[in-house]
Amino acid sequence: MHRVFSGIQPSGELHIGNYLGAVRNWVALQSEYECIFSIVDLHAITQPYDRDALATRTFEMALGLLAAGIDPERSTLFVQSQVAEHAELAWALSVVAPLGDLERMTQFKDKAAREETVPAALLNYPILMAADILLYRADQVPVGEDQLQHLELARELARRWNARFRPGFFAEPQPMLSRARRIVGLDGNAKMSKSLGNTIGILETPEQIWEKLKPAMTDPARKTRKDPGNPDICNIYHLHQHFSTPAQVEHVAHMCRTAGWGCLDCKRLLADNMIAALAPIRERAADLRAHPERVREVLASGAERCRTIARETMGEVREIMGFYGAGAAARAT
Ligand code: TYM
């Protein structure tokens, strides 16, 4: 059976970008695959972060994921830093990671450009990501488009490590893209991302959702209510495709092109559909908030299970790489 692994940083909220781009896919995959999902706090510390908020954000992300439909009966959910082997395998993979490849990663270049002093962790970030996946010998990785380059590097590291130490040991992880591989933020310009402040959180209230949608960017060429619009270049139209029925999507496009509707009419329908789609998630989140021990229990048993798998993989890796005290190398000394 294929094993699915994916991760999400606790640095931001669960918003409709990472929800549609990845998490909704995770929820769907649970019925077909063995799934392991991680809140990757070790990745979140590669950029300046609020030390006092990290644990709370990690908990909040777990709560959001469970509310969004991650089912602990079927999937394993855990916090990355609770399984020490992630960092250990990252080190073991770093010996086959070409510096040039790491420096070429677009996310590294973007993030490094914003820092005065670039931490080595930012450069090594994709090695840790490869370790996350390979530690569980996972071969399917549901992600959004922005992670494809990192995943390509993970495949490269698996190939290089296998070639040097043990052919066929690690499977080369394959990406699984959802239909919403890149959700654009409310600015209509950049990828939806908490750090850019262009998000709608999946736990936001109906009022908050409407207040955010009202000023959101539409077709920039549509200056007045009477001008016909072009839905193909309108982000609100694109969002309709994920929240509205096919008939509604068609209607919206027609009303936009004929100036039958103003942008606010179009946004009102989107808001209503979005609010309805997110309502059950908000309800489950409220329920979990009243029972935080349930979230803690899921994370504790998830970490326990992952430690067992991780220890096994690292035991083999240690032996294959010839470390003192490991397997055959131990018997030789
Ligand atoms: P992160 O936390 O930035 O995002 C989590 C997932 O959501 C997807 N995503 C989006 N998809 C479409 N449109 C958007 N606007 C959008 N924003 C986010 C991301 O592609 C991702 O799938 N490095 C990863 C986390 C990670 C990981 C891993 C993923 C660490 N180890 C191992 C897979 C396997 C990250 O920062 O994702």
Side-chain angles (χ1 to χ4, degrees), residues 5-9 15 17-18 21-22 40 43 125 129 132-133 141-147 150 180-183 191-192:
F5 181 96
S6 201
I8 188 163
Q9 296 196 50
H15 51 73
N18 48 28
V40 291
H43 280 96
Y125 178 112
M129 188 165 151
D132 297 340
I133 305 162
V141 187
V143 284
E145 195 177 82
D146 61 333
Q147 297 301 320
H150 289 158
R181 51 174 60 193
R182 184 175 185 272
I183 297 293
K191 180 186 81 169
M192 184 173 283

Side-chain angles (χ1 to χ4, degrees), residues 16-330:
I16 58 169
N18 48 28
Y19 174 65
L20 295 176
V23 175
R24 200 170 57 169
N25 210 10
W26 299 3
V27 173
L29 291 167
Q30 298 179 112
S31 48
E32 276 177 67
Y33 296 93
E34 184 199 345
C35 295
I36 302 178
F37 301 119
S38 184
I39 300 160
V40 291
D41 49 353
L42 296 176
H43 280 96
I45 63 166
T46 58
Q47 282 187 290
Y49 72 100
D50 180 354
R51 179 249 170 245
D52 295 332
L54 183 63
T56 309
R57 287 198 174 144
T58 303
F59 176 87
E60 286 294 314
M61 183 52 80
L63 186 145
L65 290 171
L66 293 171
I70 298 301
D71 174 5
E73 299 289 318
R74 291 185 291 166
S75 301
T76 304
L77 179 67
F78 77 106
V79 177
Q80 185 188 31
S81 65
Q82 299 210 308
V83 182
E85 285 82 358
H86 286 255
E88 193 181 356
L89 182 58
W91 186 254
L93 292 172
S94 73
V95 302
V96 295
L99 186 58
D101 286 7
L102 296 172
E103 286 169 340
R104 266 194 295 281
M105 294 290 117
T106 47
Q107 284 206 356
F108 168 71
K109 288 195 282 191
D110 289 349
K111 289 178 184 172
R114 282 185 246 140
E115 307 289 341
E116 211 169 291
T117 309
V118 179
L122 209 51
L123 183 73
N124 294 333
Y125 178 112
I127 307 180
L128 180 61
M129 188 165 151
D132 297 340
I133 305 162
L134 301 182
L135 193 52
Y136 302 98
R137 321 285 285 274
D139 56 354
Q140 304 290 325
V141 187
V143 284
E145 195 177 82
D146 61 333
Q147 297 301 320
L148 287 181
Q149 198 186 28
H150 289 158
L151 216 51
E152 175 56 40
L153 185 75
R155 279 199 295 282
E156 178 67 19
L157 295 185
R159 272 195 295 273
R160 284 175 178 265
W161 192 94
N162 286 350
R164 171 136 167 223
F165 295 107
R166 173 71 56 89
F169 184 74
F170 287 122
E172 289 180 26
Q174 303 301 323
M176 302 172 104
L177 282 173
S178 74
R179 197 164 58 85
R181 51 174 60 193
R182 184 175 185 272
I183 297 293
V184 170
L186 298 177
D187 51 3
N189 194 16
K191 180 186 81 169
M192 184 173 283
S193 158
K194 172 82 174 174
S195 62
L196 298 173
N198 61 4
T199 61
I200 292 183
I202 65 162
L203 300 181
E204 292 198 78
T205 63
E207 295 73 31
Q208 286 169 323
I209 292 177
W210 179 234
E211 285 310 313
K212 282 191 168 179
L213 277 179
K214 266 197 298 190
M217 186 55 127
T218 54
D219 169 3
R222 191 175 183 193
K223 297 277 185 256
T224 72
R225 168 73 178 74
K226 286 194 213 95
D227 297 335
N230 178 1
D232 296 334
I233 57 167
C234 176
N235 191 39
I236 295 298
Y237 176 69
H238 293 143
L239 289 174
H240 266 292
Q241 292 172 335
H242 300 291
F243 289 101
S244 304
T245 64
Q248 286 175 328
V249 171
E250 208 174 296
H251 186 62
V252 162
H254 173 73
M255 296 309 263
C256 176
R257 285 204 175 92
T258 56
W261 271 7
C263 293
L264 268 187
D265 303 318
C266 177
K267 286 172 174 176
R268 188 64 252 178
L269 179 64
L270 176 64
D272 291 344
N273 289 343
M274 199 182 273
I275 290 163
L278 299 179
I281 301 181
R282 284 187 61 221
E283 265 169 44
R284 280 195 295 267
D287 191 36
L288 285 167
R289 218 173 277 292
H291 301 281
E293 72 285 354
R294 286 195 206 149
V295 180
R296 288 195 285 268
E297 276 161 26
V298 167
L299 294 180
S301 67
E304 195 53 47
R305 168 148 195 274
C306 287
R307 277 194 284 265
T308 306
I309 306 173
R311 239 179 254 138
E312 204 174 298
T313 305
M314 268 323 292
E316 289 185 66
V317 167
R318 283 164 159 271
E319 179 178 359
I320 293 168
M321 293 181 80
F323 284 111
Y324 176 78

